Amino acid sequence: MIGRLNHVAIAVRDLAAATAVYRDTLGAKVTAPMPQPEHGVTVVFVELPNTKIEFLEPLGAASPIAKFLERNPDGGIHHLCYEVDDILAARDKLKAEGARVLGDGNPKTGAHGKPVLFLHPKDFLGTLTELEQV
Ligand code: CO
């Protein structure tokens, strides 16, 4: 059901510092910061030949990654995102198998303007897992 790894998301406290590490030290192609107030994050994409790394910096007081950064003050891998062809069919199959879909269970528009869902980390090896319809 899942296809390509779309991105690995890393939560960071300081986007500028994270960008410098990947752009200057690792020599990667890095986008400009993109504030996404509806998701409570500012995002930078690192564009690799085969996938993307997504830096997430908290935006606003109620950011969904604030608690994660309290537990992981140096930052850390926050979630993995896999591509699916049909997100509603994927959701229904996973729910039928007992997996928990976060939120109200309906896809939201993600950072790439495509429908996304998040799956409970306890059902997926302790890893928050995002599905994106491509
Ligand atoms: Co993501």
Side-chain angles (χ1 to χ4, degrees):
M1 181 176 67
I2 59 170
R4 295 182 348 136
L5 174 68
N6 184 275
H7 60 270
V8 176
I10 300 177
V12 303
R13 285 193 183 282
D14 182 341
L15 264 186
T19 296
V21 169
Y22 267 68
R23 184 192 56 213
D24 303 335
T25 307
L26 295 175
K29 187 177 168 204
V30 174
T31 68
M34 294 174 257
Q36 307 203 331
E38 71 279 17
H39 293 291
V41 292
T42 302
V43 179
V44 161
F45 293 111
V46 180
E47 295 170 350
L48 302 177
N50 61 338
T51 192
K52 296 185 282 289
I53 308 298
E54 178 181 284
F55 297 147
L56 305 173
E57 182 190 66
L59 175 62
S63 174
I65 62 167
K67 278 215 171 62
F68 181 91
L69 282 169
E70 272 173 32
R71 293 194 306 270
N72 303 277
D74 297 327
I77 293 178
H78 185 261
H79 65 266
L80 302 178
C81 178
Y82 300 111
E83 298 180 356
V84 295
D85 292 331
D86 182 337
I87 200 164
L88 294 177
R91 176 198 64 186
D92 292 346
K93 177 181 192 298
L94 290 164
K95 283 175 77 172
E97 290 176 15
R100 287 165 283 185
V101 177
L102 300 189
D104 65 7
N106 292 312
K108 291 199 171 121
T109 301
H112 313 104
K114 308 252 176 72
V116 302
L117 280 175
F118 284 91
L119 306 172
H120 200 295
K122 286 198 189 305
D123 297 331
F124 294 94
L125 318 188
T127 305
L128 180 62
T129 301
E130 180 180 20
L131 299 180
E132 179 172 307
Q133 181 171 295
V134 292

